[in-house]
Amino acid sequence: MTLKQLSETPLKSGDLASAALNRTFSVAPMLDWTDRHYRYFARLMSKEALLYTEMVTTGAILYGRGDYLAYNEEEHPLALQLGGSDPKDLAACSRLAEARGYDEINLNVGCPSDRVQNGRFGACLMAEPTLVAECVDAMRQQVSIPVTVKTRIGIDEQDSYEFLTDFISKVEAAGCDTFIIHARKAWLQGLSPKENREIPPLDYDRVYQLKRDFSQLSISINGGVTSLEQAKEHLQHLDGVMVGREAYQNPYILAGVDTELCNRTSPVITRDEVIGKLLPYIGKHLAEGGRLNHITRHIIGLYQGLPGSRAWRRYLSENAHKPGAGIEVVEAAIKAMAGND
């Protein structure tokens, strides 16, 4: 089947994700990365993966000029990650998000950046479990969809197991039954957000122990997962696995999620089929005045590890940002890759 034929093959209704949330595998919220274009692209490869938005602050939603809740219907199942610490504002945003059709609201208690700390949200909230509980309670009072929390295993010198279990216990008491745990602690001073994703050591055993001690909760793990084989190992102990950078930099890992982790029997989509199904979306985006590189920046890693992948990356990187760049750039990148086999 040609690239043109692939682009004209519509998504069937049976391809749409079911309404029930499957937490087996999810893609982490990543600022500047997991925007609606990436999420549409990701959904082409996995119907089961739970997708998360970038973190959106309550201030942006309530007072910003843009539509910070916009998404494509094809992205479901989709969770909105909120950043904030005012129970009233979080409740108002949760209500708006449910009205817009989101499947879950997730509270960020894991981001360690200075900007986030200055706004009194993110990882620094681990030191205020009572406030987090109040936030969760206020959010739950306004919505019928799940309210979940993504957090770390500790912050700074507050990194004992007792500190973590005290936090979980207090937030659970407010009605939260689903936690995503980044298996590193966060240093609130001295490390950049990037360094906080790499330098503090991973402690998977601590998250496993948390699940044993709180078996009634749904607990997913995040941090350092780079393959579906690793995900399978974590799933021997936990309810779900959240993958971040690998799902972005090597996105075709998503193509195996449904069959390898979620017991689907449908054929695995090929990389060329992914591009074929993405082309109409690109065309629509361009017709609405968008730029090609808004989308192609997310697909550069699609052919990672294959012959010609470097030519694919180079061609897109050098040409997709140019004024007037259109679908022909993607088609030429395919040809450039084929010419480097």
Side-chain angles (χ1 to χ4, degrees), residues 41-224:
F41 169 55
R43 182 59 69 215
L44 294 175
M45 291 174 280
S46 172
K47 306 308 174 190
E48 294 290 345
L50 177 57
L51 303 179
Y52 283 74
T53 69
E54 305 167 89
M55 182 188 68
V56 185
T57 65
T58 55
I61 294 171
L62 297 175
Y63 309 112
R65 294 185 179 182
D67 182 1
Y68 291 92
L69 295 178
Y71 66 92
N72 306 289
E73 285 297 323
E74 294 87 350
E75 294 173 36
H76 290 293
L78 178 63
L80 170 70
Q81 188 183 66
L82 285 176
S85 59
D86 182 279
K88 183 179 177 181
D89 287 351
L90 285 164
C93 290
S94 297
R95 185 169 62 250
L96 291 171
E98 182 176 44
R100 291 291 290 272
Y102 280 91
D103 301 297
E104 173 192 319
I105 311 293
N106 178 261
L107 180 62
N108 184 316
V109 190
C111 182
S113 77
D114 291 339
R115 182 175 67 85
V116 165
Q117 290 181 60
N118 291 337
R120 199 190 176 199
F121 55 93
C124 65
L125 286 177
M126 283 200 79
E128 300 185 73
T130 301
L131 175 58
V132 175
E134 291 172 358
C135 291
V136 167
D137 180 63
M139 295 162 74
R140 291 186 67 250
Q141 294 297 325
Q142 295 296 319
V143 300
S144 59
I145 57 177
V147 173
T148 67
V149 169
K150 185 174 188 290
T151 190
R152 296 272 185 147
I153 58 174
I155 51 173
D156 297 336
E157 301 301 336
Q158 297 173 290
D159 60 355
S160 68
Y161 185 65
E162 291 70 27
F163 173 78
L164 177 60
T165 56
D166 178 68
F167 174 84
I168 296 295
S169 296
K170 289 179 178 176
V171 179
E172 180 195 11
C176 182
D177 62 6
T178 302
F179 293 83
I180 301 102
I181 311 293
H182 188 155
R184 307 177 197 268
K185 76 174 182 178
W187 285 102
L188 300 181
Q189 302 294 330
L191 294 182
S192 69
K194 181 178 183 297
E195 290 170 331
N196 260 304
R197 292 191 296 268
E198 299 170 350
I199 293 177
L202 288 160
D203 191 344
Y204 294 144
D205 288 338
R206 179 164 297 193
V207 185
Y208 296 168
Q209 184 63 50
L210 193 68
K211 176 60 183 180
R212 288 193 291 269
D213 292 340
F214 293 84
S215 59
Q216 73 278 16
L217 299 180
S218 172
I219 296 181
S220 297
I221 198 166
N222 173 227

Side-chain angles (χ1 to χ4, degrees), residues 285-302:
H285 175 69
L286 295 174
E288 293 171 348
R291 295 178 63 92
L292 180 64
N293 65 327
H294 292 166
I295 298 174
T296 55
R297 71 187 186 97
H298 300 305
I299 69 175
I300 285 177
L302 179 61

Side-chain angles (χ1 to χ4, degrees), residues 17-28:
S18 62
L21 292 184
N22 180 351
R23 301 186 182 281
T24 302
F25 186 97
S26 57
V27 177

